[in-house]
Structure formats: C-alpha cells, structure tokens
Amino acid sequence: MTAQHVSATPSTRPTKIAIVGAGSVGASVAYAAMLRGSAQTIALYDLAAEKAEAEALDIAHGSQFGSGATVIGGGDITCVAGADVVVITAGARQKPGQSRLDLAGINVKILRSLMPQLLEQAPEAMFMLVTNPCDVLTVAAQQITGLDSSRVFSSGTVLDSSRLKFLISKKIGVNPRSVHARIIGEHGDSEFAVWSNANIGGIPLREWRGADGTLAFTEADLDAVRDEVANSAYAIIQGKGATNLAIGVSAARICEAIINDEKAVLTVSTVLDDYRGVSGVAMSVPSVVGRGGVERVLNIPLDERETLLFRASAGQLSAIQEELGLELE
C-alpha cells in the first residue's frame, strides 16, 4: 500500500530511508523521519504485511502536517529497493529484566536470513542496526554481508548520550544542547560516561558550580547519573513495555547525517580495529558520520579509569560473541 504526498524535487537526488520491522520501534523511526523530513521517501517493511501497511498509512495520513514525505509500507521486501539507509529494528523484543545480551542468539539467526535479502534490494545502502543487542548484531551483520565497517553500524550510544545530556541539564538548569558529554562503550550495562572531557560552555563538568558557588557534581553524583542513564531503558520497559519514541528520533537523526553528508560527530557503534588495543567488537565511540556512513572513528582522550572501563566493556562483548561464534578472523 502506498500513500503519496509530495514528489521529489526534480533538481535534487531522491532520498529514501527503509525501516525493517513495523513494531513500536520501527513505526517510531518512520514517524520521526516523516516529521523531521529525514528523507523524501520512507518505507516500512515487515513480514506482517497488514501491520506494516497500517502503520505506514497511519503515518501518511498526518504527513501533510509534517514534512510531506512519501510513506509506503507492506510485506513485499522490494519496498526497500534503492534505499540510502536501511534501519533494522526487526527482532525479538526485550522483556522486563532481560539483558540486551540475552537477546543475541535469536536475533543473530534472524539477521542470517534477513541481511542477504536487504543487500540485494539496496546494494549501495548504509545499514544501521537498532535491534538489540545492537553491538553484537553489528558484528554479525558485517560478517554476513562482508561489507566494510563504515557501511554496517548501529545506533550505539547516540540515545544514551542524549539521556546523559538531559540528566545533566536538568541538574544544573542549562539547555541540553549546551552540554558536551557522551556515553561510550557497549550500548548496555557496561557503558560509561567520559567525564574527563565533559564540559558546559567550555567549563569542565567537574568544575561547574551553581549560583551559590558550590560544585554541582561530586564523584558520587556523577556515578549516580551514569547509573540512571544505563538503567533508563529498563525503567521505561517496566513502565510501558518498550522504549520506542526517543530511539525513533535518534535513528532518524543518524539517517539525516548520512543522507545530508553532514560529517556529524555521533556515538554510533562500529566494528573496531585496534582502537586503544580493541579489535573485532563493535562499540560506540565518537565518529564522523556522512554520506559514506561511518567515515572516521575519532580517538578521543580517556583517563586511566576510562581506559580500563573501555577495555572491560570490550571484554564483555567479546565473551558473548565467542559464545555465538562471531569471532572475527
């Protein structure tokens, strides 16, 4: 089923985002992309054709109040054809109390069937994994497709970093866009904040003082903020069954960086090659994202504690990959 609203401008290259999986996350990515005008065409594909058609139609009915993008959806994989970015949200849903890594086995099996079909339909696309555990699945998807790591990546800790900025801004009363801080490592339990170079308006976060002159954050406060970020998804899943809205916006934002060749620095997750001694696992670090996908991985400064946390996070991911037979040669 197709609902058309505006044709591509003749003088510009047509742009398209394909979203695989019409569940709560996939529909949220499509909805956010439509509202933000992330691409001229948004395609929503799912084996449950009726669900995909209904979600696409629901979004399309409101597109005149958003970007006016063309929205299509259904159970025919050809709707993915020619996409600039393919966003993969299909997979088993994370249950309350379930670790992201517990989901790995079943979702790797899904990718083994899915990735070759997607690559056939969109041979030039960038492939972004949103399905959890996204780091492990990024390794699997790269192995299955044989594509360069620049073209197969996950949304990583882009949302986690947004959560971090939100919590910091709430604590000190500034706009989150003025907070420069990030979460790196696994998108999951072993992720951590890089406090050593976090700042607000050039002032190191650890030196930020309130109106009364006292330091805004003790080390205990910083640990509590990190823990709240890491546990945010579990709290939301407990309350409403899934996290979908914020990840929808985050995924749309990453797509825009690719389609518009923004060279934006985002904490996406790619398979690393001797990054601070870590290879063969996908982890989130600040990276330059543009038309070529993940075009450059930035080697940011870490203090001694952060370096240890990074290697520990890599070790956890490496262990689960070995159990799944995803060791890179």
Side-chain angles (χ1 to χ4, degrees):
M1 182 178 292
T2 302
Q4 294 193 349
H5 303 278
V6 65
S7 299
T9 305
S11 60
T12 62
R13 178 183 60 80
T15 57
K16 181 176 181 179
I17 296 170
I19 299 137
V20 181
S24 59
V25 173
S28 294
V29 176
Y31 185 53
M34 180 279 289
L35 288 176
R36 292 172 61 87
S38 304
Q40 292 165 325
T41 299
I42 300 159
L44 189 59
Y45 164 70
D46 199 299
L47 289 174
E50 188 174 10
K51 177 75 159 65
E53 290 172 2
E55 291 287 6
L57 190 59
D58 194 16
I59 294 166
H61 285 165
S63 67
Q64 64 177 302
F65 305 118
S67 65
T70 297
V71 183
I72 63 175
D76 188 340
I77 199 169
T78 59
C79 75
V80 173
D84 297 281
V85 187
V86 177
V87 182
I88 300 166
T89 72
R93 175 184 283 190
Q94 188 175 7
K95 298 176 182 178
Q98 184 181 38
S99 166
R100 290 183 178 99
L101 295 183
D102 291 339
L103 295 171
I106 188 169
N107 286 338
V108 167
K109 290 179 182 178
I110 291 171
L111 282 185
R112 292 195 192 282
S113 169
L114 184 62
M115 290 305 300
Q117 299 177 63
L118 295 176
L119 188 58
E120 181 180 2
Q121 293 296 325
E124 303 301 320
M126 305 298 143
F127 294 87
M128 176 166 62
L129 281 297
V130 175
T131 306
N132 280 319
C134 62
D135 303 302
V136 171
L137 296 185
T138 297
V139 175
Q142 188 192 20
Q143 287 190 3
I144 292 162
T145 61
L147 295 174
D148 188 83
S149 61
S150 63
R151 291 184 56 191
V152 184
F153 53 93
S154 84
S155 52
T157 59
V158 171
L159 173 55
D160 308 77
S161 295
S162 178
R163 288 167 173 157
L164 180 71
K165 294 174 186 180
F166 168 79
L167 290 171
I168 292 170
S169 70
K170 187 177 177 182
K171 166 80 172 177
I172 63 176
V174 301
N175 192 299
R177 294 182 179 180
S178 297
V179 177
H180 305 286
R182 59 190 61 85
I183 295 282
I184 68 170
E186 173 202 358
H187 171 58
D189 299 337
S190 65
E191 66 187 23
F192 64 95
V194 185
W195 298 126
S196 62
N197 58 44
N199 72 88
I200 302 137
I203 300 174
L205 183 64
R206 285 181 167 127
E207 298 176 19
W208 183 271
R209 294 180 182 273
D212 61 358
T214 61
L215 288 173
F217 294 97
T218 64
E219 290 302 313
D221 291 331
L222 295 178
D223 288 342
V225 169
R226 178 269 166 202
D227 290 345
E228 187 170 352
V229 171
N231 293 319
S232 290
Y234 297 123
I236 294 169
I237 291 167
Q238 184 65 40
K240 57 176 274 190
T243 59
N244 60 300
L245 298 176
I247 186 57
V249 177
S250 301
R253 173 69 190 93
I254 299 167
C255 290
E256 291 159 20
I258 295 166
I259 288 173
N260 300 323
D261 196 23
E262 291 183 17
K263 316 297 186 188
V265 176
L266 299 166
T267 52
V268 293
S269 176
T270 52
V271 179
L272 301 179
D273 181 15
D274 196 22
Y275 186 94
R276 294 185 171 273
V278 172
S279 297
V281 295
M283 300 176 72
S284 293
V285 294
S287 302
V288 178
V289 181
R291 187 66 195 164
V294 181
E295 298 179 352
R296 183 183 173 195
V297 177
L298 303 180
N299 194 356
I300 63 168
L302 300 176
D303 64 23
E304 184 177 352
R305 179 174 181 269
E306 291 160 354
T307 299
L308 292 174
L309 288 171
F310 187 80
R311 290 175 179 164
S313 187
Q316 290 198 27
L317 288 167
S318 180
I320 191 68
Q321 287 176 203
E322 288 178 11
E323 290 181 20
L324 295 168
L326 294 177
E327 299 167 275
L328 290 182
E329 297 180 0

